[in-house]
Amino acid sequence: MTNSFLQDKKSGKTPLMYAIEKKNHELVETILKCVDSDKVRNVVKTQAFDGSSCIKIAEGLKGSFDVEIWNKLWNSLQSAANGSSARYHFQSPHV
């Protein structure tokens, strides 16, 4: 398993932060599922060098997400940030 805590040496961003910025909800889900449940809270709360966190990045992009995807992303990030034992599941909308 790759270390989700790895931070970009230039920006301090984590793979989860980049996945959120790219609006890749499938990658966000995969990362959250791969992180040990006792570490997921720290991964979500890690700050980049500019002070941004996964939550702050997601908040800033709220308007650019499909509402359903946004709600699932937000709920997953909040659950992880609160140390919830719930697992994080997105369901891709049926097209």
Side-chain angles (χ1 to χ4, degrees):
M1 180 172 94
T2 56
N3 186 345
S4 299
F5 284 116
L6 291 178
Q7 290 182 273
D8 180 310
K9 293 188 187 313
K10 185 174 180 181
S11 68
K13 292 181 181 175
T14 64
L16 183 57
M17 291 174 183
Y18 282 118
I20 294 167
E21 286 182 339
K22 294 294 183 186
K23 296 180 262 187
N24 187 335
H25 63 278
E26 292 168 348
L27 184 54
V28 169
E29 175 185 8
T30 299
I31 292 169
L32 289 174
K33 285 181 182 177
C34 289
V35 176
D36 292 334
S37 59
D38 61 332
K39 295 180 182 174
V40 72
R41 182 178 186 169
N42 291 333
V43 171
V44 172
K45 291 191 170 202
T46 297
Q47 290 188 348
F49 300 149
D50 66 1
S52 62
S53 65
C54 292
I55 299 291
K56 287 181 182 179
I57 292 168
E59 285 175 332
L61 295 172
K62 180 179 180 178
S64 64
F65 277 93
D66 171 78
V67 173
E68 183 178 345
I69 298 295
W70 162 256
N71 288 333
K72 290 176 183 180
L73 170 71
W74 186 251
N75 290 335
S76 293
L77 290 173
Q78 287 294 317
S79 292
N82 292 325
S84 171
S85 59
R87 294 316 286 168
Y88 321 98
H89 299 284
F90 290 103
Q91 294 295 328
S92 295
H94 299 286
V95 180

